[in-house]
Amino acid sequence: MGTVSKMSSRWSWVMNAVYIFVSICSFGVSGGLVQSCGYIIPESPLLTLGSNFTALCILNESCLDFGNIHASQIIWKIKSSVVPKEQYRVINRTVSSVTFRDTSTLATPLTCNVLADGQIEQNIYGIAVTLGLPPEKPENLSCVVRQMSKNKFIMTCTWNPGRDTFLATDFCLKSQWPLETLPDCKPKGVNNSCEISNVQFFVNLEVWVEAKNALGKAESEHINFDPVDIVKPLPPRNLTVSSGELPTVLKLSWENQIIVVEMELKFNIRYRISDSTDWMEVPPEDTASHRTSFTVQSLKPYTKYVFSLRCMKKDGLGYWSDWSKEKSGVTSEAKPSKGPPLWRKIDISHSPNSWTVHLIWKELDRSEANGIILRYEVTVRARPSLSRPPEKYSVNSTNLTLNLTNGTYDVTVTAHNRIGGSPPSVLLIPASNSKASVKDIKAYPKDGKLWVEWTAPDNSVVKYVIEWCMVSDSSDCTTEWQQELGTSQGTFLKGDIKPFKCYLITVYPLYTNGQGNGQSTKAYLQQSMPEKGPTVQTKKVGKAEAVLVWKPLAVDEQNGFIRYYTILYRTISGNETAVNVDPSKTEYTLSSLSSDTLYMVKMEAHTDEGGTSGPVFTFTTQKFGKGEIEAIVVPVCLAFLLSILLGVLFCFNKRDLIKKHIWPNVPDPSKSNIAQWSPQTPTKHNFSSKDQMYPEGSFTDVSVVEIEADDKKSFSEQDLKPFNLLKKEKNTSEGHSSGIGGSSCMSSPRQSVSDSDESESAQNTSSTVQYSTVVLNGYRDQIPSVQVFSRSESTQPLLDSEEKPEDNPGGGESATPRQQYFKQNSSQDETSTDGSHFERAKQVTPPINEEDLVGLTQLQISDHSSQPCGSGQEKNKPESALADVLSPSTEGQILRLETMGINTATVDEVPKSYMPQTVRQGGYMPQ
Amino acid sequence: MWVPALAEQPPVTLQHHNLCSHAILLAGKIRSNVARLLESYVERQGLDRTISLDSVEGVPGPAMEQGGELTVAVRLGANLQAYRALQTLLGEVLEEQGFHLTPLDMDFHASIQSILLQVAALAYQLEELLALLSHGRPAWEAAGPRPSQLV
């Protein structure tokens, strides 16, 4: 039920609204024209801001009938904002009013609306409200008459129009004569000034401003004036400047642009030296009368001046004109007012008694030269003046070089122009600078210039000379100088002093009778950071320290005084460490560094203005310190040597044991049972002598093997042919003693070249050659695999008949290995290895048993171990070994043998039998 | 052209002095301007430069020619009458030039208008002086008919 009731209520409200809307509309249309239900009075009011305002909304009676509307339902709105109902007042059934105490809260439009049926707001009427202010009284009215041309003047009056009125406001400049009203002047585009072109002088004019708008009008104060009293004339024109006879005056002439019947003028004249910006002014009282020319006095000779002037009404009423165009003129020349500053440079010439004096002087300033300097006259007087007459020179330049003998001189220089000469400048050149010099000289920048100051010496100084030059590595120190009065104790250097450059400044005091030594200091006008940093590098790098060296920065690169160096170093991953170093140093040692570490180091040079870094240098510290390697290596070496020494001593002490195991004794064939058995066995003493001839130890390695006579393996002649060929060839072989049982350690390798003839000659000479007997029998029933040569005691020369091939029944297939075996067991006592060996070998082919072979193999190993001391190149070279075996005895060998007396002993003790003996199978046939 | 004869008996009051001073300066300026205007007029009208202006119809003769027998007031009155006549004639010239002869020569019209204003101002100053000298007699009445309007 409730819901149905609400639905019914809303539907009823909508229907009512539609009815009211239709009623209002039908009313408006019923008359044929659209009519509103009411209206507002006043219609479109113009209101003063801040004033009170009341509006009435009046409803039409007809609307009341249709819409059942009452004035109490009226709502006032400003734009879309509802005016508070406190400002409403229902006057009667059809009239509602709204009141605004301050119209500044108003805006347009102001509308009257009705709330139909208490819900729907319907606009009845609206008005536009205009707000504004009446004009204020214009203030500060003033006028000026500007001269536009000779006969044209325009009066411009300006005023303060006052506040904004928010309304269209007209301003009008009014003027009148006592009996006549002049035309109004209406501003164009502005509201605070107006121009009147028809200006009449000598008649008082009354001027005022009238401002008017919809809310009212206002009038300024009236001002009265004669327009001629407010004129700003045009400046004089056609100004000319001319010089007169006097060097200190210039005459100005001009043309006034206002006629004298209109007004008389007074003037201001200003002037300046052309290269100056400071104006000077002629006293105003001198130009207070009307004129067209004026002579300016007290000017400097031969100086260019610039002039300008302005004018105004003579009685001071009105305004000054603008300054006229500038015009320049030059005063006439006069004599130079002072002599040129004079100084000297003295070179010691080759002759000890003379000087080369360079007199130098400066050109006079323009203000001092008073004209164009044509020449300089120089007078040089020696002291005492009676010694010789003064010398005079006339020069056009500003220097003069003289060769003077040592002494004291007075030099005077005068400058001359077209008018005359200057007062002389005097310089005393003493024989020596024996006077007191200045003290405490300092130089520093001041006011953008370089200031040098000093403490004056006790004696009175006539003047000071300050010399300076820019110190540079790339150019010479070109000296500049200036003079200062003797009373001064400081001055700015006058010259082109450049920033970031080092200047050497020297101050000389000059006295009436001498000169003091110069005192010097260095200074910069402006310092900066150095152009670059020092390039650092290492001089020496140790384990924990590094000696850094660098070159001092050149003067041109310093840009200031180097106060200190900063050395920055770090490892790749470590923090940077900084060390400040005195700028006088060029070397520094970094300590406490880590060993075997890469360091990066750079250097900064610092002036007062900052520092600049040099390039980065990297270095690596050493792994070991100085002496550490020596401390390790030397003891190791010593220990090694000591162990070797001990080993050698041990070997020496145990040589018998070693010999027994390494070089076992080989039975002497001469002592064999066969020898003892043979009736032709040489006497025992022969063997004794042989013992003498072959000392023990050197002979122990001779092996005697038992050869079986029936061994078929013997060398045939064919097998030995190659050896004969080799013998006959002119060949190169190592002539070391490689005899049976010989140790290669005991022989020095030596190349020898010989041909067969020489070999034969050697054989012939060696008539006491011992021949080896080749025993091809196996030792202890072992079949030898190699051919073995055994030393023969025979001294009998070989016969040709014995070299027959048929005498060699054995085969020669294993000749090469046997030769190698032989070589390795050869004794140093072998004095001849000529072809007779092979001749003998052709006849003897004894078998060799395996036991012998084993023993020989051991010897071969022993020899191998000793090869480092001998000819290592020969190992594993059968052909080479063969060549050793086959090589004839060399001269060295022969000589050595002769020295040893071996052959002599043999010759003495062996019977004179030269028949070769042939050992047949199973037998030995001593001769 | 006539110059006010004020030098004989200078006024004693400051107002009198200022008035005389203004009148003298204005008369001098009028003379200068009229001379320049005359040159321009002769040039535009194609007249002979030797034209004599000593005797112009309707312009009274100079009072100075009558010697020192006349009083200051009489002489000022004669001057005032002459300037009134000049004012009238300049008005006629301006009307004639503006409407008939040189309607487009505005500068020339402005020159005539400027002198016309100055003459009117000088006439006023003379009237004031006469008023001071003639015992409160209205200056305009003593000087005769006033030009109807200043443009």
Side-chain angles (χ1 to χ4, degrees):
Chain A
M1 284 297 289
T3 304
V4 173
S5 173
K6 285 182 181 176
M7 290 286 289
S8 174
S9 173
R10 287 182 181 175
W11 180 249
S12 173
W13 179 84
V14 170
M15 290 301 292
N16 271 336
V18 171
Y19 170 75
I20 292 169
F21 178 75
V22 171
S23 300
I24 293 171
C25 290
S26 62
F27 170 75
V29 176
S30 63
L33 294 172
V34 177
Q35 295 181 0
S36 62
C37 266
Y39 58 95
I40 298 174
I41 56 174
E43 180 83 28
S44 301
L46 178 60
L47 305 175
T48 301
L49 277 168
S51 63
N52 291 331
F53 173 65
T54 298
L56 302 175
C57 183
I58 303 170
L59 298 174
N60 292 330
E61 290 292 339
S62 55
C63 282
L64 299 179
D65 297 335
F66 286 99
N68 193 22
I69 300 173
H70 191 271
S72 60
Q73 295 175 288
I74 288 176
I75 297 172
W76 291 90
K77 296 179 81 173
I78 299 172
K79 290 187 175 176
S80 59
S81 302
V82 177
V83 178
K85 293 194 173 182
E86 292 78 18
Q87 297 176 229
Y88 301 174
R89 179 165 165 253
V90 178
I91 297 174
N92 56 33
R93 181 169 171 264
T94 62
V95 179
S96 173
S97 72
V98 64
T99 300
F100 300 93
R101 295 193 178 278
D102 185 354
T103 52
S104 59
T105 61
L106 260 177
T108 191
L110 174 66
T111 58
C112 171
N113 306 278
V114 64
L115 200 59
D117 197 25
Q119 297 293 331
I120 299 176
E121 184 178 305
Q122 182 66 38
N123 177 256
I124 301 297
Y125 202 78
I127 59 172
V129 179
T130 303
L131 297 169
L133 293 168
E136 283 188 320
K137 177 183 177 183
E139 301 285 349
N140 301 328
L141 174 63
S142 63
C143 299
V144 57
V145 176
R146 289 187 173 85
Q147 184 182 15
M148 309 309 290
S149 64
K150 193 162 187 177
N151 298 306
K152 185 175 182 182
F153 296 85
I154 291 179
M155 185 172 74
T156 303
C157 293
T158 58
W159 60 89
N160 180 6
R163 66 189 175 189
D164 186 6
T165 62
F166 307 105
L167 299 173
T169 304
D170 295 328
F171 289 85
C172 181
L173 178 67
K174 292 182 172 293
S175 60
Q176 67 177 20
W177 284 345
L179 295 179
E180 296 291 335
T181 299
L182 300 176
D184 293 342
C185 177
K186 296 189 181 294
K188 294 175 182 175
V190 295
N191 63 355
N192 64 343
S193 68
C194 197
E195 291 184 347
I196 299 173
S197 59
N198 195 2
V199 180
Q200 303 303 325
F201 294 154
F202 310 120
V203 185
N204 281 341
L205 188 67
E206 183 180 356
V207 176
W208 70 97
V209 178
E210 186 180 274
K212 184 166 62 177
N213 66 9
L215 293 176
K217 68 176 183 178
E219 197 175 277
S220 70
E221 295 288 338
H222 292 222
I223 56 173
N224 261 289
F225 56 88
D226 183 348
V228 78
D229 294 336
I230 56 171
V231 171
K232 180 183 179 183
L234 287 173
R237 64 182 181 182
N238 297 334
L239 174 64
T240 59
V241 182
S242 57
S243 60
E245 289 296 324
L246 294 174
T248 58
V249 301
L250 285 172
K251 183 179 180 182
L252 311 182
S253 299
W254 63 90
E255 180 183 332
N256 295 317
Q257 298 198 70
I258 192 166
I259 56 177
V260 71
V261 295
E262 290 174 335
M263 68 177 70
E264 287 189 327
L265 301 171
K266 65 178 182 181
F267 302 89
N268 273 168
I269 298 174
R270 65 177 183 178
Y271 60 98
R272 61 179 172 86
I273 297 174
S274 62
D275 51 359
S276 170
T277 56
D278 299 329
W279 288 97
M280 296 167 281
E281 194 164 322
V282 174
E285 55 271 21
D286 294 346
T287 55
S289 59
H290 191 86
R291 62 181 64 233
T292 56
S293 65
F294 187 81
T295 299
V296 183
Q297 302 175 2
S298 302
L299 302 177
K300 294 179 179 177
Y302 200 64
T303 303
K304 185 177 182 180
Y305 286 91
V306 178
F307 294 90
S308 174
L309 74 163
R310 64 180 181 177
C311 62
M312 74 177 297
K313 193 163 177 278
K314 183 181 174 180
D315 55 10
L317 298 176
Y319 303 89
W320 281 106
S321 70
D322 295 328
W323 288 101
S324 68
K325 288 183 180 177
E326 296 178 355
K327 196 75 177 180
S328 61
V330 182
T331 51
S332 302
E333 287 189 50
K335 286 197 286 187
S337 59
K338 61 180 287 190
L342 178 61
W343 187 230
R344 88 292 175 274
K345 292 179 186 173
I346 298 175
D347 292 339
I348 305 301
S349 63
H350 300 296
S351 173
N353 296 323
S354 66
W355 291 337
T356 299
V357 178
H358 303 279
L359 294 175
I360 50 178
W361 56 90
K362 290 182 180 293
E363 290 184 351
L364 290 171
D365 289 341
R366 188 182 179 88
S367 61
E368 298 166 343
N370 291 340
I372 299 172
I373 299 300
L374 303 174
R375 68 182 187 281
Y376 297 95
E377 291 186 355
V378 182
T379 304
V380 180
R381 292 185 182 85
R383 282 191 180 183
S385 58
L386 297 177
S387 61
R388 344 176 242 186
E391 297 180 7
K392 293 187 176 181
Y393 306 89
S394 179
V395 293
N396 294 325
S397 61
T398 56
N399 59 75
L400 177 64
T401 300
L402 300 171
N403 287 320
L404 302 174
T405 56
N406 290 358
T408 301
Y409 293 90
D410 281 322
V411 178
T412 60
V413 175
T414 55
H416 291 258
N417 64 11
R418 189 171 58 85
I419 305 300
S422 70
S425 294
V426 181
L427 177 68
L428 174 67
I429 301 177
S432 63
N433 293 342
S434 57
K435 302 295 181 182
S437 55
V438 300
K439 293 171 280 188
D440 302 331
I441 179 171
K442 295 179 208 168
Y444 49 87
K446 183 179 174 183
D447 300 333
K449 294 180 281 187
L450 200 52
W451 172 263
V452 55
E453 64 183 24
W454 58 89
T455 301
D458 297 334
N459 302 330
S460 62
V461 177
V462 175
K463 56 189 172 186
Y464 294 97
V465 171
I466 297 99
E467 279 186 351
W468 74 90
C469 69
M470 188 171 71
V471 182
S472 172
D473 297 318
S474 57
S475 61
D476 293 336
C477 198
T478 305
T479 302
E480 297 181 65
W481 60 279
Q482 68 186 57
Q483 279 188 356
E484 297 298 327
L485 295 175
T487 55
S488 64
Q489 294 192 14
T491 183
F492 288 108
L493 295 187
K494 302 177 182 70
D496 183 19
I497 307 297
K498 297 175 180 174
F500 318 130
K501 299 293 182 185
C502 181
Y503 285 88
L504 177 65
I505 304 163
T506 307
V507 177
Y508 296 92
L510 305 186
Y511 302 91
T512 52
N513 55 354
Q515 177 179 315
N517 276 322
Q519 295 294 312
S520 300
T521 186
K522 286 183 178 178
Y524 283 85
L525 174 62
Q526 186 181 352
Q527 295 191 52
S528 177
M529 292 189 298
E531 194 172 301
K532 66 177 188 179
T535 301
V536 66
Q537 57 186 4
T538 54
K539 179 182 177 184
K540 184 179 177 184
V541 177
K543 181 181 177 184
E545 70 281 331
V547 181
L548 303 178
V549 293
W550 62 89
K551 282 185 178 178
L553 289 178
V555 177
D556 293 336
E557 298 168 340
Q558 292 181 4
N559 288 346
F561 292 112
I562 301 297
R563 300 303 185 193
Y564 60 91
Y565 293 121
T566 299
I567 299 174
L568 301 162
Y569 64 98
R570 64 180 179 88
T571 60
I572 290 179
S573 58
N575 293 329
E576 195 167 62
T577 306
V579 180
N580 288 343
V581 181
D582 189 87
S584 62
K585 293 185 176 178
T586 59
E587 183 176 314
Y588 186 79
T589 302
L590 297 179
S591 57
S592 302
L593 302 178
S594 302
S595 62
D596 195 22
T597 304
L598 179 68
Y599 279 90
M600 290 178 288
V601 61
K602 62 180 180 180
M603 258 186 109
E604 290 180 351
H606 289 265
T607 65
D608 293 336
E609 299 299 319
T612 303
S613 291
V616 176
F617 182 81
T618 58
F619 66 89
T620 305
T621 51
Q622 293 185 351
K623 192 171 186 178
F624 298 102
K626 182 181 179 182
E628 282 187 6
I629 294 177
E630 290 83 347
I632 294 170
V633 171
V634 169
V636 169
C637 291
L638 289 175
F640 180 72
L641 290 174
L642 186 60
S643 62
I644 289 177
L645 184 59
L646 290 174
V648 169
L649 288 175
F650 176 78
C651 291
F652 184 76
N653 288 332
K654 301 293 182 180
R655 63 183 181 278
D656 294 338
L657 188 61
I658 294 172
K659 180 181 175 184
K660 181 179 178 183
H661 285 87
I662 299 178
W663 294 290
N665 281 329
V666 177
D668 188 348
S670 63
K671 295 179 182 179
S672 67
N673 294 329
I674 297 174
Q676 293 174 358
W677 165 80
S678 178
Q680 288 83 13
T681 300
T683 57
K684 192 74 177 180
H685 71 272
N686 285 341
F687 294 102
S688 301
S689 64
K690 189 175 181 181
D691 290 338
Q692 294 173 357
M693 194 170 68
Y694 304 115
E696 188 179 359
S698 63
F699 196 69
T700 54
D701 55 351
V702 175
S703 299
V704 176
V705 293
E706 187 178 347
I707 303 173
E708 293 180 1
D710 57 353
D711 193 344
K712 301 298 181 183
K713 295 180 179 178
S714 61
F715 288 109
S716 66
E717 185 177 352
Q718 290 178 345
D719 295 330
L720 294 174
K721 272 185 180 178
F723 300 157
N724 291 330
L725 290 174
L726 289 170
K727 182 187 77 174
K728 291 177 181 178
E729 286 177 3
K730 191 176 194 177
N731 54 46
T732 302
S733 64
E734 290 191 357
H736 59 81
S737 61
S738 56
I740 296 173
S743 173
S744 59
C745 291
M746 302 302 290
S747 63
S748 59
R750 185 166 59 89
Q751 291 282 338
S752 66
V753 178
S754 63
D755 55 19
S756 58
D757 295 337
E758 290 171 352
S759 299
E760 290 173 354
S761 174
Q763 291 168 11
N764 296 332
T765 305
S766 177
S767 59
T768 58
V769 165
Q770 297 177 353
Y771 291 94
S772 297
T773 299
V774 177
V775 183
L776 295 177
N777 197 8
Y779 178 67
R780 294 181 184 178
D781 298 328
Q782 296 179 4
I783 298 172
S785 60
V786 295
Q787 185 179 13
V788 177
F789 294 85
S790 180
R791 180 174 297 279
S792 173
E793 296 292 336
S794 175
T795 60
Q796 183 178 2
L798 295 175
L799 298 177
D800 292 340
S801 60
E802 294 177 346
E803 298 179 20
K804 291 178 181 178
E806 56 269 20
D807 293 338
N808 297 320
E813 293 178 2
S814 58
T816 300
R818 286 169 185 261
Q819 289 298 328
Q820 184 177 12
Y821 175 80
F822 172 76
K823 173 201 176 261
Q824 290 171 346
N825 289 275
S826 61
S827 170
Q828 65 177 5
D829 293 335
E830 183 182 46
T831 56
S832 175
T833 57
D834 59 6
S836 60
H837 289 273
F838 307 107
E839 290 168 358
R840 182 69 67 182
K842 293 171 187 174
Q843 300 169 0
V844 181
T845 56
I848 302 173
N849 60 27
E850 288 184 8
E851 189 176 343
D852 292 337
L853 187 61
V854 170
L856 290 171
T857 304
Q858 290 174 348
L859 290 173
Q860 185 177 10
I861 294 169
S862 175
D863 272 349
H864 284 175
S865 66
S866 62
Q867 277 180 352
C869 296
S871 59
Q873 295 175 347
E874 295 180 6
K875 67 180 181 179
N876 299 327
K877 290 183 179 179
E879 293 178 1
S880 179
L882 181 63
D884 288 342
V885 171
L886 300 176
S887 63
S889 62
T890 63
E891 291 179 3
Q893 288 173 317
I894 293 167
L895 289 171
R896 186 176 60 182
L897 291 171
E898 287 175 351
T899 304
M900 292 173 68
I902 295 173
N903 293 334
T904 305
T906 305
V907 170
D908 291 341
E909 296 176 9
V910 174
K912 301 291 183 182
S913 174
Y914 295 98
M915 288 297 290
Q917 60 178 347
T918 301
V919 179
R920 296 296 176 180
Q921 291 179 351
Y924 178 76
M925 187 61 73
Q927 294 178 353
Chain B
M1 188 62 63
W2 303 273
V3 176
L6 298 174
E8 295 180 2
Q9 191 175 355
V12 291
T13 64
L14 180 61
Q15 183 188 6
H16 199 175
H17 178 269
N18 288 337
L19 199 54
C20 286
S21 174
H22 271 105
I24 292 169
L25 292 171
L26 183 56
K29 186 170 184 298
I30 289 171
R31 177 187 174 123
S32 172
N33 290 355
V34 167
R36 198 165 57 243
L37 177 64
L38 182 60
E39 290 181 6
S40 178
Y41 181 81
V42 168
E43 181 182 352
R44 281 172 172 75
Q45 296 300 120
L47 301 176
D48 186 1
R49 290 184 178 276
T50 60
I51 182 174
S52 174
L53 297 175
D54 292 341
S55 176
V56 178
E57 184 181 355
V59 176
M64 290 293 291
E65 293 178 356
Q66 299 177 16
E69 301 172 356
L70 300 178
T71 62
V72 172
V74 173
R75 289 162 58 193
L76 279 176
N79 277 304
L80 179 57
Q81 189 178 1
Y83 281 107
R84 291 296 181 196
L86 177 60
Q87 185 179 1
T88 303
L89 289 174
L90 283 174
E92 291 174 359
V93 170
L94 179 60
E95 184 178 359
E96 186 180 49
Q97 293 291 329
F99 287 102
H100 303 291
L101 299 178
T102 56
L104 301 178
D105 196 349
M106 297 302 180
D107 288 343
F108 186 50
H109 303 166
S111 299
I112 299 171
Q113 177 68 28
S114 175
I115 294 175
L116 188 57
L117 281 172
Q118 293 177 60
V119 171
L122 180 61
Y124 163 74
Q125 289 171 351
L126 293 175
E127 288 173 3
E128 290 296 306
L129 282 172
L130 278 173
L132 289 174
L133 295 173
S134 61
H135 315 290
R137 179 189 174 194
W140 182 249
E141 291 178 4
R146 189 179 182 188
S148 60
Q149 185 181 1
L150 292 174
V151 177

